[in-house]
Amino acid sequence: MRARPNSDLVERIVLRCIAAGNASTFNQILRNAPVNDRTLRGCLEKLIQSDQIHKIGDKFVSRAERNARNFVPSCECPTCEGRSIVANPEISAKFTQFVEIARRAPPFILDYNQRPVTFDTAWHRALFALQPNKIPPKRVILLGDDDLTSIPFAMLLPDSEIVVLEADKRIVDFLNIVSEELSHDGFSAIEYDARKKVDDKYLGTADLAVCDPSSTLFELFISRCVDLSAKDGAGNILTFVHPTYFVQDIGLQKLFSDMNLVIRVMIPAFNRYKLHDNDICPNQDIVPINSSDKETIAFVESLVMLGVCEDSKPFITGDLDLNYEELYGETATRRFDKLK
């Protein structure tokens, strides 16, 4: 399912993006190629060393003469920037309040494989999820919430129940404090380990289930969301996937098909991250920064909205007995150990 393109394919895709003319900066290429930021950085370094491209300012230029004649204009909406959703100015005060609250949250920790998004992205996630619904969801359940997406949901849905199932007790305690500050009786957070089966009282009760798992936890989190979701036609799952899931491989589509889930929406490059400086590209993603400023991109994730049917079924059921490395994967475990 999580097939990654080989290095030759990555180079061809990157060269094609540069040749198109409308994807010549690091961020632009990242949004158009199914690679993560680290893979792209390595690819660009290799292409520069092999003299296939050169760097002028923040732009990468191909040596091929045909590039100048092969320009494809960008048709992305400059207002929504490809997200298909724009915040209503009437609720801008709520966004400002959200940012003020979220800045007090405990810092993310690598022990839970957390890589949080910016405040702006969390806000737009909630906005997008609520737009298609003329009737607000009665219950929203978030499976993990280091991104604090539950707070925008609580602000935008004062009469709905917002439940967070989160492994990090610090975030659980913080969100329960926020619930009191917002005077939102239906907003609550509960400590929960996704390796354990879902509590019976939440089974089949969510009009909307939200999760943003790492690749190693993807099947598990989607399975738990299926357990949480109402199966009477009202249930939806909002999730986010790495762009390399979208290489020419049917695995992701097959997983959803095997679970009898309907793919309602896919939006590439929905998540946006703040950046730090780096040699090959200004603003390399070392540690994401939450900010209300206009964002650039380091790491891209695609939004996926799934519909839950009467015969939808989880890929994984029951309790799981997994150790740290099995849960997060060998690569992530090595990274955690190195940073500790």
Side-chain angles (χ1 to χ4, degrees):
M1 177 191 133
R2 291 180 293 276
R4 298 292 191 263
N6 61 44
S7 59
D8 289 341
L9 176 59
V10 170
E11 289 182 17
R12 290 200 302 271
I13 293 173
V14 170
L15 284 171
R16 190 160 60 239
C17 288
I18 295 173
N22 63 325
S24 56
T25 68
F26 183 85
N27 294 336
Q28 290 170 339
I29 298 168
L30 188 62
R31 294 181 66 182
N32 286 273
V35 294
N36 60 35
D37 48 342
R38 294 175 181 86
T39 301
L40 177 57
R41 185 176 71 251
C43 176
L44 291 172
E45 290 173 344
K46 183 177 179 182
L47 291 173
I48 289 174
Q49 291 174 0
S50 62
D51 202 35
Q52 296 185 67
I53 64 172
H54 63 280
K55 193 166 182 285
I56 302 177
D58 65 343
K59 296 183 181 298
F60 296 90
V61 181
S62 172
R63 297 288 187 184
E65 294 181 1
R66 63 183 178 84
N67 292 350
R69 304 192 301 271
N70 195 28
F71 178 78
V72 179
S74 174
C75 295
E76 181 179 272
C77 171
T79 303
C80 75
E81 296 182 311
R83 279 174 165 166
S84 83
I85 185 71
V86 178
N88 189 326
E90 295 178 7
I91 59 173
S92 58
K94 290 186 177 181
F95 173 67
T96 301
Q97 182 187 9
F98 163 56
V99 172
E100 292 173 351
I101 292 172
R103 287 192 188 283
R104 303 181 350 237
F108 77 95
I109 56 176
L110 291 171
D111 287 340
Y112 294 102
N113 203 13
Q114 296 174 342
R115 198 183 194 198
V117 302
T118 59
F119 298 147
D120 183 67
T121 293
W123 182 252
H124 278 82
R125 285 178 170 185
L127 288 177
F128 179 88
L130 300 181
Q131 285 310 303
N133 302 296
K134 295 185 181 298
I135 301 176
K138 295 179 181 179
R139 173 180 273 182
V140 178
I141 299 181
L142 296 96
L143 185 55
D145 193 30
D146 56 285
D147 300 326
L148 307 177
T149 308
S150 60
I151 301 176
F153 274 113
M155 289 180 165
L156 296 167
L157 296 171
D159 299 321
S160 298
E161 186 177 6
I162 314 296
V163 179
V164 178
L165 306 179
E166 167 62 50
D168 189 340
K169 187 178 184 301
R170 302 169 313 137
I171 294 177
V172 170
D173 293 341
F174 174 74
L175 292 176
N176 284 324
I177 292 172
V178 173
S179 172
E180 294 180 5
E181 293 178 358
L182 296 176
S183 299
H184 195 310
D185 295 335
F187 181 23
S188 63
I190 300 164
E191 199 170 351
Y192 169 71
D193 185 335
R195 287 174 290 187
K196 303 298 182 182
K197 65 180 182 180
V198 173
D199 191 307
D200 289 346
K201 69 178 180 179
Y202 294 120
L203 289 175
T205 65
D207 297 317
L208 177 64
V210 183
C211 69
D212 182 14
S214 63
S215 60
T216 57
L217 298 174
F218 192 76
E219 293 96 335
L220 174 61
F221 271 59
I222 295 296
S223 294
R224 300 306 191 208
C225 283
V226 171
D227 288 334
L228 292 167
S229 299
K231 298 178 176 61
D232 57 0
N236 289 293
I237 297 172
L238 182 70
T239 190
F240 303 87
V241 300
H242 192 279
T244 52
Y245 290 5
F246 292 104
V247 296
Q248 294 183 20
D249 184 284
I250 202 66
L252 184 70
Q253 311 280 344
K254 186 177 186 302
L255 174 68
F256 295 150
S257 177
D258 289 345
M259 298 174 73
N260 293 329
L261 295 170
V262 178
I263 301 175
R264 297 195 188 280
V265 180
M266 284 188 176
I267 299 182
F270 189 88
N271 281 8
R272 313 297 170 103
Y273 294 76
K274 202 71 177 179
L275 307 175
H276 282 269
D277 288 336
N278 176 266
D279 291 337
I280 191 68
C281 57
N283 303 325
Q284 162 59 20
D285 171 37
I286 301 171
V287 178
I289 300 176
N290 281 325
S291 172
S292 60
D293 300 333
K294 186 175 177 61
E295 300 162 318
T296 48
I297 301 170
F299 181 86
V300 180
E301 283 183 326
S302 301
L303 175 147
V304 180
M305 179 73 81
L306 302 167
V308 181
C309 309
E310 184 178 354
D311 57 351
S312 294
K313 55 187 179 181
F315 184 79
I316 297 173
T317 59
D319 293 344
L320 291 181
D321 183 17
L322 298 176
N323 62 34
Y324 193 87
E325 184 169 336
E326 290 171 328
L327 191 63
Y328 294 120
E330 181 182 352
T331 301
T333 301
R334 287 201 309 268
R335 178 163 55 90
F336 300 158
D337 291 340
K338 183 178 179 180
L339 291 171
K340 284 183 177 180

